[in-house]
Amino acid sequence: MTKTILVTGASRGIGRATALLAGERGWSVGVNYVAQAAAAAEAVSQIEGAGGRAVALQGDVSVDSEVVALFDAAERALGPLDGVVVNAGITAPSLPLMDMDAERLRRTFMVNAIGAYLCAREAARRLAPSRGGRGGSIVLVSSIAARLGSPFEFVDYAGAKASVDTLTIGLSKELGPEGVRVNAVRPGLIETDIHASGGDPDRAMRLGATTPFGRPGRPDEVAQAILWLLDDASSYTSGAILDVAGGR
Ligand code: NAP
């Protein structure tokens, strides 16, 4: 039986690498995006080109009705879900908290925290056998920022990601009896567009050089950890938060 997965924010970066690896390993993949339809379409054709099955699905994870519609569309296109990767996230330009306005704080928490909670809730509803699901695995993409606090850069983002860690622990306990595992990865500095979107394109290379490995990580290195947590290979692992941060 082919397993099906929905990856939020899969048009680029870590989500895209996860979608490609899942496709290679035989999962049917829902590739969610919010704005970059062309990037999502490209990810889908890459999966299909490698012999896999995928569909691009638009939806803003910070809007409740869009999250419900996204999961409905994924199940219509692919069938019942077996896995969900709650990955979509954003940063904003580096600032001390003293200089952050309320709108920035709201947006950061809406996408990274509320968005993660909405997607995890919907994943729980679809996977839990008590709601008609067939069990499965949820992986949330947090950040090493939750541990470091990200002073003078984005303490807002770090706090939103800390809530993702706590959600992972609580939801794993709610869903354990249902046979649904819930885990998180905490990436360190990974080379993706997120740094340019936050106004600092060289951030991963510059700061990556100061880490124990002396380099930033690649999206596919995070994808490997996510796929392990999704797969039955990690069948006794739940509530775990795995740092993928080059020893940082
Ligand atoms: P990225 O390259 O900037 O890609 C972000 C992805 O999220 C894109 O597919 C984007 O879609 C999607 N997205 C953004 N806002 C969304 C929304 N409201 N609804 C649905 N999708 C949305 O980012 P990334 O670096 O791969 O980050 C992926 C995750 O890893 C995030 O949660 C991030 O916080 C976390 N992380 C990243 C790093 C790092 O150094 N890169 C480190 C730690 C944690 P569009 O293409 O349509 O815009």
Short mmCIF file of all heavy atoms in Angstrom, two decimals, residues 122-154:
data_model
loop_
_atom_site.label_atom_id
_atom_site.label_comp_id
_atom_site.label_asym_id
_atom_site.label_seq_id
_atom_site.Cartn_x
_atom_site.Cartn_y
_atom_site.Cartn_z
N GLU A 122 -5.13 19.61 12.58
CA GLU A 122 -5.77 18.98 11.43
C GLU A 122 -5.14 17.61 11.16
O GLU A 122 -5.86 16.66 10.83
CB GLU A 122 -5.62 19.90 10.22
CG GLU A 122 -6.80 19.93 9.30
CD GLU A 122 -8.15 20.03 10.01
OE1 GLU A 122 -8.29 20.85 10.94
OE2 GLU A 122 -9.06 19.28 9.61
N ALA A 123 -3.83 17.51 11.31
CA ALA A 123 -3.14 16.22 11.14
C ALA A 123 -3.68 15.21 12.15
O ALA A 123 -3.96 14.06 11.81
CB ALA A 123 -1.64 16.40 11.30
N ALA A 124 -3.85 15.67 13.40
CA ALA A 124 -4.35 14.77 14.46
C ALA A 124 -5.76 14.28 14.08
O ALA A 124 -6.06 13.08 14.21
CB ALA A 124 -4.39 15.52 15.78
N ARG A 125 -6.59 15.19 13.61
CA ARG A 125 -7.96 14.81 13.23
C ARG A 125 -7.97 13.77 12.11
O ARG A 125 -8.82 12.89 12.07
CB ARG A 125 -8.74 16.04 12.75
CG ARG A 125 -9.12 16.99 13.87
CD ARG A 125 -9.80 18.21 13.29
NE ARG A 125 -10.32 19.10 14.32
CZ ARG A 125 -10.77 20.33 14.10
NH1 ARG A 125 -10.74 20.83 12.86
NH2 ARG A 125 -11.22 21.06 15.08
N ARG A 126 -7.04 13.90 11.16
CA ARG A 126 -7.05 13.00 9.99
C ARG A 126 -6.38 11.66 10.29
O ARG A 126 -6.75 10.65 9.70
CB ARG A 126 -6.34 13.64 8.79
CG ARG A 126 -6.71 15.08 8.50
CD ARG A 126 -8.11 15.19 7.92
NE ARG A 126 -8.55 16.58 7.92
CZ ARG A 126 -9.21 17.17 6.93
NH1 ARG A 126 -9.52 16.49 5.85
NH2 ARG A 126 -9.58 18.43 7.03
N LEU A 127 -5.36 11.64 11.19
CA LEU A 127 -4.61 10.40 11.42
C LEU A 127 -5.19 9.55 12.54
O LEU A 127 -5.04 8.32 12.53
CB LEU A 127 -3.14 10.73 11.75
CG LEU A 127 -2.32 11.46 10.68
CD1 LEU A 127 -0.89 11.63 11.14
CD2 LEU A 127 -2.32 10.71 9.35
N ALA A 128 -5.85 10.17 13.52
CA ALA A 128 -6.31 9.42 14.71
C ALA A 128 -7.38 8.40 14.34
O ALA A 128 -8.41 8.76 13.77
CB ALA A 128 -6.85 10.39 15.75
N PRO A 129 -7.17 7.13 14.67
CA PRO A 129 -8.19 6.11 14.40
C PRO A 129 -9.54 6.43 15.04
O PRO A 129 -10.58 6.10 14.48
CB PRO A 129 -7.56 4.83 14.98
CG PRO A 129 -6.10 5.06 14.87
CD PRO A 129 -5.90 6.53 15.13
N SER A 130 -9.55 7.13 16.19
CA SER A 130 -10.83 7.48 16.84
C SER A 130 -11.64 8.44 15.98
O SER A 130 -12.83 8.62 16.20
CB SER A 130 -10.58 8.09 18.21
OG SER A 130 -9.87 9.31 18.08
N ARG A 131 -10.98 9.09 15.00
CA ARG A 131 -11.68 10.00 14.07
C ARG A 131 -11.74 9.42 12.65
O ARG A 131 -11.96 10.14 11.69
CB ARG A 131 -10.97 11.36 14.00
CG ARG A 131 -10.85 12.08 15.33
CD ARG A 131 -12.21 12.63 15.75
NE ARG A 131 -12.09 13.37 17.00
CZ ARG A 131 -12.04 14.70 17.08
NH1 ARG A 131 -12.11 15.43 16.00
NH2 ARG A 131 -11.94 15.28 18.25
N GLY A 132 -11.46 8.12 12.52
CA GLY A 132 -11.55 7.49 11.20
C GLY A 132 -10.23 7.38 10.47
O GLY A 132 -10.18 6.88 9.34
N GLY A 133 -9.13 7.83 11.08
CA GLY A 133 -7.82 7.74 10.44
C GLY A 133 -7.20 6.37 10.62
O GLY A 133 -7.78 5.48 11.25
N ARG A 134 -5.97 6.20 10.06
CA ARG A 134 -5.35 4.88 10.16
C ARG A 134 -3.98 4.95 10.85
O ARG A 134 -3.08 4.17 10.55
CB ARG A 134 -5.26 4.22 8.79
CG ARG A 134 -4.62 5.04 7.70
CD ARG A 134 -4.78 4.34 6.35
NE ARG A 134 -3.93 4.95 5.34
CZ ARG A 134 -4.05 4.73 4.04
NH1 ARG A 134 -5.00 3.92 3.59
NH2 ARG A 134 -3.23 5.29 3.18
N GLY A 135 -3.85 5.91 11.79
CA GLY A 135 -2.58 6.07 12.51
C GLY A 135 -1.57 6.79 11.63
O GLY A 135 -1.92 7.28 10.55
N GLY A 136 -0.33 6.86 12.09
CA GLY A 136 0.70 7.50 11.28
C GLY A 136 1.66 8.33 12.11
O GLY A 136 1.80 8.13 13.31
N SER A 137 2.27 9.28 11.44
CA SER A 137 3.37 10.02 12.06
C SER A 137 3.30 11.49 11.69
O SER A 137 3.04 11.83 10.53
CB SER A 137 4.68 9.40 11.57
OG SER A 137 5.78 10.06 12.13
N ILE A 138 3.53 12.35 12.68
CA ILE A 138 3.57 13.80 12.45
C ILE A 138 4.96 14.28 12.83
O ILE A 138 5.48 13.92 13.90
CB ILE A 138 2.52 14.52 13.33
CG1 ILE A 138 1.11 14.01 13.02
CG2 ILE A 138 2.61 16.03 13.14
CD1 ILE A 138 0.04 14.50 14.01
N VAL A 139 5.58 15.07 11.95
CA VAL A 139 6.87 15.67 12.28
C VAL A 139 6.74 17.18 12.16
O VAL A 139 6.30 17.70 11.13
CB VAL A 139 8.01 15.16 11.35
CG1 VAL A 139 9.32 15.84 11.71
CG2 VAL A 139 8.14 13.65 11.44
N LEU A 140 7.11 17.88 13.23
CA LEU A 140 7.06 19.34 13.22
C LEU A 140 8.46 19.89 13.04
O LEU A 140 9.42 19.35 13.60
CB LEU A 140 6.47 19.86 14.54
CG LEU A 140 5.01 19.44 14.76
CD1 LEU A 140 4.90 18.36 15.80
CD2 LEU A 140 4.16 20.64 15.14
N VAL A 141 8.57 20.96 12.26
CA VAL A 141 9.88 21.57 12.05
C VAL A 141 9.98 22.80 12.95
O VAL A 141 9.36 23.83 12.70
CB VAL A 141 10.12 21.92 10.57
CG1 VAL A 141 11.50 22.56 10.40
CG2 VAL A 141 10.00 20.65 9.71
N SER A 142 10.75 22.63 14.01
CA SER A 142 10.99 23.71 14.97
C SER A 142 12.27 24.43 14.54
O SER A 142 12.53 24.57 13.33
CB SER A 142 11.11 23.10 16.37
OG SER A 142 11.51 24.05 17.31
N SER A 143 13.07 24.85 15.48
CA SER A 143 14.34 25.51 15.15
C SER A 143 15.23 25.49 16.38
O SER A 143 14.75 25.55 17.52
CB SER A 143 14.12 26.95 14.73
OG SER A 143 15.36 27.63 14.65
N ILE A 144 16.53 25.44 16.14
CA ILE A 144 17.49 25.54 17.23
C ILE A 144 17.32 26.89 17.95
O ILE A 144 17.73 27.06 19.10
CB ILE A 144 18.92 25.34 16.66
CG1 ILE A 144 19.86 24.81 17.70
CG2 ILE A 144 19.44 26.58 16.01
CD1 ILE A 144 19.66 23.36 17.95
N ALA A 145 16.68 27.83 17.26
CA ALA A 145 16.41 29.14 17.86
C ALA A 145 15.62 28.99 19.16
O ALA A 145 15.78 29.80 20.09
CB ALA A 145 15.63 30.02 16.88
N ALA A 146 14.79 27.96 19.25
CA ALA A 146 13.98 27.74 20.46
C ALA A 146 14.89 27.53 21.67
O ALA A 146 14.52 27.86 22.79
CB ALA A 146 13.07 26.53 20.27
N ARG A 147 16.07 26.97 21.44
CA ARG A 147 17.05 26.73 22.52
C ARG A 147 17.97 27.93 22.72
O ARG A 147 18.40 28.21 23.82
CB ARG A 147 17.83 25.45 22.19
CG ARG A 147 18.98 25.14 23.12
CD ARG A 147 19.29 23.66 23.17
NE ARG A 147 19.81 23.08 21.93
CZ ARG A 147 21.00 23.36 21.38
NH1 ARG A 147 21.78 24.27 21.91
NH2 ARG A 147 21.39 22.72 20.29
N LEU A 148 18.29 28.64 21.62
CA LEU A 148 19.28 29.72 21.69
C LEU A 148 18.67 31.08 22.03
O LEU A 148 19.35 31.98 22.50
CB LEU A 148 20.04 29.82 20.36
CG LEU A 148 20.80 28.56 19.93
CD1 LEU A 148 21.43 28.77 18.56
CD2 LEU A 148 21.87 28.20 20.96
N GLY A 149 17.37 31.25 21.69
CA GLY A 149 16.70 32.52 21.98
C GLY A 149 16.84 33.60 20.92
O GLY A 149 16.10 34.57 20.92
N SER A 150 17.83 33.47 20.04
CA SER A 150 18.05 34.40 18.92
C SER A 150 18.07 35.88 19.30
O SER A 150 17.37 36.70 18.69
CB SER A 150 16.99 34.17 17.83
OG SER A 150 17.04 32.86 17.38
N PRO A 151 18.90 36.26 20.29
CA PRO A 151 18.95 37.66 20.70
C PRO A 151 19.41 38.57 19.57
O PRO A 151 20.28 38.20 18.79
CB PRO A 151 19.99 37.65 21.83
CG PRO A 151 20.83 36.44 21.58
CD PRO A 151 19.90 35.43 21.00
N PHE A 152 18.83 39.74 19.48
CA PHE A 152 19.13 40.77 18.49
C PHE A 152 18.79 40.35 17.05
O PHE A 152 19.07 41.08 16.12
CB PHE A 152 20.60 41.22 18.57
CG PHE A 152 20.97 41.70 19.95
CD1 PHE A 152 21.81 40.95 20.77
CD2 PHE A 152 20.46 42.90 20.43
CE1 PHE A 152 22.13 41.38 22.05
CE2 PHE A 152 20.79 43.35 21.71
CZ PHE A 152 21.61 42.59 22.52
N GLU A 153 18.24 39.19 16.88
CA GLU A 153 17.82 38.77 15.54
C GLU A 153 16.30 38.60 15.51
O GLU A 153 15.58 39.40 14.92
CB GLU A 153 18.48 37.43 15.16
CG GLU A 153 19.95 37.52 14.86
CD GLU A 153 20.44 36.28 14.13
OE1 GLU A 153 20.32 35.17 14.68
OE2 GLU A 153 20.93 36.44 13.00
N PHE A 154 15.83 37.55 16.18
CA PHE A 154 14.38 37.32 16.19
C PHE A 154 13.94 36.51 17.40
O PHE A 154 13.67 35.32 17.28
CB PHE A 154 13.88 36.68 14.89
CG PHE A 154 14.93 36.00 14.05
CD1 PHE A 154 15.49 34.79 14.42
CD2 PHE A 154 15.34 36.57 12.84
CE1 PHE A 154 16.43 34.17 13.64
CE2 PHE A 154 16.31 35.95 12.05
CZ PHE A 154 16.85 34.75 12.45
#
